[in-house]
């Protein structure tokens, strides 16, 4: 049986390396233009070439985002850019705009094109429309139920692949088509510059009392984020997703930390592998998957539209991230003889901290930090400086890109 693809985000080269290490079958990433995450570090052409070579050497596919809704000026040199991406060896382009699609078809006719969720594919006729034009995959709108996806699959099976989001932040606008940011901040969400206005804390204003703001408080006292949705999490519903005919499961998060990419990718990798090995093993392991996911920063979770239209109970609005662990370091090197790991610090840790190592392809372990040495071998009591290199002895072997984290009090 052909396994479903696990597709992970790669906001920069480090996140790509982490996604690959923790089990992604494919990654999606953007260049310095044409993608919908302008605030991500993204990849210039030389970086993209290196990243694609790195992923392919490890059997991982790379999809390049070009899913903005283009204005005339965006079309300049677009065909040449697509030819360069093809020469680098990218496996597919992700496109939403029909004009951009037409340019890609003409410039790189042999290249696979995936139709972005921004294109609002909500029915089988639209999916077949794109298939007839030459697209190889549609990334379905997030507003579909599993029943609707299954019906699409029955009508398009064999003609075009179906990809869906399975985890991550959910935009409050229909398939991400939002104008709040452009209106309020002059930053166009449909060209990758969203200011996340839906996550802001809002108040009530009465029309005859301008400047008088009435707070709207929820029971937690943190204000009301009336447009901010829960995060999506479908790890407990993989059988239903696969039965519906989904080809690829996509994790949102090109703006997220390497810890988020590692934790979520590893959890879904384990869930998919367990499902194909023994469905009862998968079912019994769902609490373990959720435990790992909850160690990364997230909002409360929902199943989005998959199980039916969200009501007020399923779609509680809260703009606040919560996390139980602090991401403190990434393994850069490990000496097998001495058991010494070189750690690149991301947040402060000190002697006496109990840290957990999230390991790719191996069980996690917890240990106390007994000694810390700087790169010159000098003993230090703490690691306060961002991205400084430090050495610690680990009680078990670790690998490059393993994540070190501390449980928060």
């Amino acid at each position: 049986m052909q396994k479903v693809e696990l597709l992970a985000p790669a906001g920069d080269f480090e996140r790509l390396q982490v996604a690959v290490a923790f089990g992604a079958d494919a990654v999606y990433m953007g260049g310095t233009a044409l993608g919908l995450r302008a605030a991500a570090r993204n990849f210039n052409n030389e970086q993209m070439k290196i990243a694609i070579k790195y992923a392919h050497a490890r059997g991982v596919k790379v999809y390049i985002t070009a899913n903005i809704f283009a204005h005339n000026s965006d079309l300049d040199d677009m065909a040449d850019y697509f030819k360069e991406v093809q020469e680098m060896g990218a496996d597919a382009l992700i496109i939403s705009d029909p004009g951009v699609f037409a340019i890609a078809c003409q410039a790189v006719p042999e290249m696979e094109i995936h139709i972005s969720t921004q294109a609002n594919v909500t029915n089988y006729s639209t999916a077949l429309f794109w298939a007839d034009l030459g697209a190889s995959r549609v990334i379905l709108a997030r507003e579909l139920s599993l029943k609707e996806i299954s019906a699409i699959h029955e009508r398009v099976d064999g003609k075009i692949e179906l990809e869906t989001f399975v985890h991550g932040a959910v935009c409050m606008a229909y398939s991400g088509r939002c104008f709040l940011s452009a209106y309020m901040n002059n930053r166009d969400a449909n060209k990758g510059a969203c200011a996340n206005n839906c996550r802001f804390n809002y108040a009530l204003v009465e029309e005859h009392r301008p400047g008088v703001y009435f707070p709207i408080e929820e029971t937690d006292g943190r204000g009301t984020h009336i447009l901010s949705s829960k995060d999506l999490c479908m790890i407990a519903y993989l059988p239903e997703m696969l039965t519906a005919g989904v080809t690829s499961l996509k994790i949102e998060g090109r703006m997220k930390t390497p810890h988020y990419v590692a934790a979520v990718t590893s959890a879904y990798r384990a869930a998919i592998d367990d499902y194909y090995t023994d469905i009862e093993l998968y079912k019994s392991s769902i609490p373990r998957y959720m435990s790992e996911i909850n160690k990364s920063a997230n909002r409360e979770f929902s199943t989005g539209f998959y199980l039916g239209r969200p009501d007020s109970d399923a779609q509680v609005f809260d703009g606040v991230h919560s996390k139980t662990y602090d991401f403190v370091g990434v393994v850069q090197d490990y000496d097998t003889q001495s058991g010494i790991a070189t750690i690149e610090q991301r947040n402060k840790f000190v002697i006496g901290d109990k840290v957990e190592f999230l390991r790719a392809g191996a069980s996690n372990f917890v240990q106390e930090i007994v000694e810390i040495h700087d790169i010159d071998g000098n003993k230090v009591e703490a690691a306060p400086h961002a991205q400084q290199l430090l050495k610690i002895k680990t009680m078990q072997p670790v690998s490059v890109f393993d994540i070190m984290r501390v449980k928060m009090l």
Side-chain angles (χ1 to χ4, degrees):
M1 184 184 298
Q2 181 69 35
K3 275 188 179 182
V4 69
E5 177 184 81
L6 178 59
L7 177 56
D12 60 18
F13 189 46
E14 182 186 38
R15 289 163 178 80
L16 180 144
Q17 292 172 302
V18 169
V20 170
F22 281 86
D25 298 308
V27 296
Y28 62 100
M29 65 189 208
T32 53
L34 306 185
L36 285 180
R37 290 294 182 273
R41 293 182 183 178
N42 294 316
F43 297 77
N44 62 34
N45 284 10
E46 186 59 32
Q47 292 168 334
M48 188 180 292
K49 183 177 180 180
I50 294 170
I52 292 170
K53 183 177 180 180
Y54 179 92
H56 284 178
R58 291 155 180 81
V60 175
K61 293 182 177 181
V62 178
Y63 308 142
I64 305 300
T65 60
N67 54 341
I68 65 166
F69 285 94
H71 291 232
N72 290 331
S73 60
D74 296 313
L75 304 183
D76 298 340
D77 303 320
M78 184 178 286
D80 290 338
Y81 172 69
F82 288 154
K83 290 175 183 177
E84 291 173 355
V85 168
Q86 183 184 50
E87 290 174 2
M88 294 175 200
D91 296 282
L93 293 168
I94 302 173
I95 291 174
S96 54
D97 185 304
V100 176
F101 180 89
I103 291 172
C105 287
Q106 186 174 22
V108 288
E110 307 87 6
M111 196 166 187
E112 286 193 14
I113 298 178
H114 299 173
I115 303 304
S116 172
T117 189
Q118 309 297 126
N120 308 341
V121 177
T122 57
N123 61 75
Y124 67 82
S125 182
T126 304
L128 290 172
F129 167 84
W130 286 113
D132 290 342
L133 288 178
S136 59
R137 178 184 294 185
V138 289
I139 306 165
L140 295 172
R142 302 187 210 198
E143 294 77 20
L144 292 176
S145 67
L146 287 170
K147 183 177 180 180
E148 290 175 299
I149 294 171
S150 182
I152 292 172
H153 172 67
E154 290 176 5
R155 299 295 289 265
V156 307
D157 189 24
K159 298 182 178 68
I160 195 165
E161 296 177 345
L162 305 180
E163 177 181 310
T164 60
F165 280 90
V166 70
H167 193 94
V170 178
C171 180
M172 52 74 65
Y174 197 90
S175 288
R177 301 288 295 274
C178 183
F179 299 95
L180 273 179
S181 179
Y183 179 76
M184 298 173 69
N185 300 84
N186 199 28
R187 289 172 52 178
D188 191 345
N190 300 305
K191 294 186 70 177
C194 181
N196 290 296
N197 301 70
C198 59
R199 307 295 185 187
F200 293 176
N201 191 0
Y202 290 89
L204 182 67
V205 177
E206 197 272 325
E207 62 178 331
H208 298 297
R209 294 176 174 84
V212 180
Y213 301 98
F214 299 94
I216 311 170
E217 294 292 337
E218 292 182 353
T219 55
D220 60 11
R222 296 183 298 195
T224 297
H225 303 261
I226 57 177
L227 301 176
S228 182
S229 65
K230 285 183 176 181
D231 286 353
L232 178 67
C233 180
M234 290 296 289
I235 201 164
Y237 297 92
L238 291 189
E240 292 84 351
M241 299 286 291
L242 304 187
T243 300
V246 175
T247 301
S248 178
L249 301 176
K250 187 172 191 174
I251 298 168
E252 181 276 337
R254 280 196 287 148
M255 299 290 292
K256 301 292 180 64
T257 68
H259 177 218
Y260 172 92
V261 175
V264 176
T265 302
S266 66
Y268 277 88
R269 177 77 276 155
I272 291 168
D273 292 347
D274 288 348
Y275 171 80
Y276 283 100
T277 299
D278 181 352
I279 191 168
E280 294 305 319
L281 171 63
Y282 158 78
K283 290 179 179 178
S284 66
S285 299
I286 289 173
R288 174 167 56 87
Y289 313 143
M290 288 303 304
S291 175
E292 181 56 53
I293 285 172
N294 280 318
K295 290 178 181 179
S296 64
N298 55 69
R299 300 175 183 89
E300 292 183 61
F301 290 123
S302 82
T303 55
F305 288 79
Y306 285 120
L307 305 185
R309 296 188 65 83
D311 57 22
S312 59
D313 292 327
Q315 196 71 9
V316 176
F317 297 103
D318 185 354
V320 180
H321 275 94
S322 63
K323 61 179 181 178
T324 56
Y325 280 75
D326 204 12
F327 167 39
V328 297
V330 181
V331 176
Q332 298 294 310
D333 191 25
Y334 178 72
D335 186 330
T336 56
Q337 290 187 332
S338 66
I340 300 294
T342 301
I343 307 294
E344 185 179 80
Q345 184 261 29
R346 294 307 169 86
N347 283 291
K348 183 178 179 179
F349 61 93
V350 301
I351 289 177
D353 279 346
K354 289 186 176 179
V355 299
E356 180 178 23
F357 282 90
L358 169 59
R359 296 194 292 173
S363 298
N364 301 352
F365 68 88
V366 177
Q367 72 170 65
E368 183 175 337
I369 300 294
V370 178
E371 285 188 354
I372 306 173
H373 293 83
D374 65 20
I375 200 66
D376 297 318
N378 302 309
K379 285 187 178 182
V380 294
E381 295 294 317
H385 305 300
Q387 294 189 289
Q388 66 182 126
L389 293 178
L390 300 146
K391 294 182 179 293
I392 66 171
K393 187 175 181 64
T394 61
M395 60 184 291
Q396 295 185 35
V398 292
S399 301
V400 176
F401 304 121
D402 284 355
I403 299 292
M404 192 171 83
R405 58 195 179 191
V406 175
K407 189 171 184 178
M408 301 176 69
L409 299 177

